């Protein structure tokens, strides 16, 4: 064994080791269609910088986190849901996070109830 930590699913997608339907990419992040969508539009927005959970962000990540929010809006608009979409960030296993690489769920295309979950 090399002793190096294994790559997350998203790091493998970034490296093009695993195929995915990429709907957006820039130097900081990329977005893919979720393979198990909960709505007609369900896109995962993923920073290229490895960050296991939102609570692992540091002050230097502020610009990246803001960038993700702006890109989420751009993607929702491109999908036709610029004024009616939900952003979800699961932080930790107890919240439903299953891939420990920060990602935002962009969900739209059906009525969404409150509270979620």
């Amino acid at each position: 064994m090399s002793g190096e930590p294994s790559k997350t699913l998203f790091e493998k997608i970034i490296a093009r080791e695993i195929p995915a339907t990429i709907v957006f990419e820039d130097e900081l992040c990329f977005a893919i269609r979720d393979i198990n969508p909960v709505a007609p539009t369900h896109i995962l927005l993923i920073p290229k910088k490895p960050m296991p959970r939102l609570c692992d962000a540091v002050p230097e990540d502020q610009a990246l986190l803001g960038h993700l929010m702006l890109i989420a809006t751009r993607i929702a608009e491109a999908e036709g849901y610029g004024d009616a979409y939900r952003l979800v960030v699961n932080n930790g296993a107890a919240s439903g996070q299953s891939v420990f690489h920060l990602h935002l769920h962009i969900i739209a295309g059906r009525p969404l109830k409150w509270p979620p979950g």
Side-chain angles (χ1 to χ4, degrees), residues 17-40:
E17 296 170 9
I18 295 176
T21 303
I22 298 173
V23 297
F24 176 85
E25 184 171 15
D26 67 11
E27 67 281 354
L28 298 177
C29 62
F30 70 106
I32 60 173
R33 296 208 182 271
D34 195 299
I35 60 170
N36 294 307
V38 299

Side-chain angles (χ1 to χ4, degrees), residues 41-63:
T41 294
H42 187 165
I43 294 172
L44 304 178
L45 180 57
I46 306 154
K48 291 182 177 178
K49 175 185 178 183
M51 184 184 313
R53 301 167 300 164
L54 181 59
C55 67
D56 295 316
V58 295
E60 293 76 25
D61 295 321
Q62 182 174 345

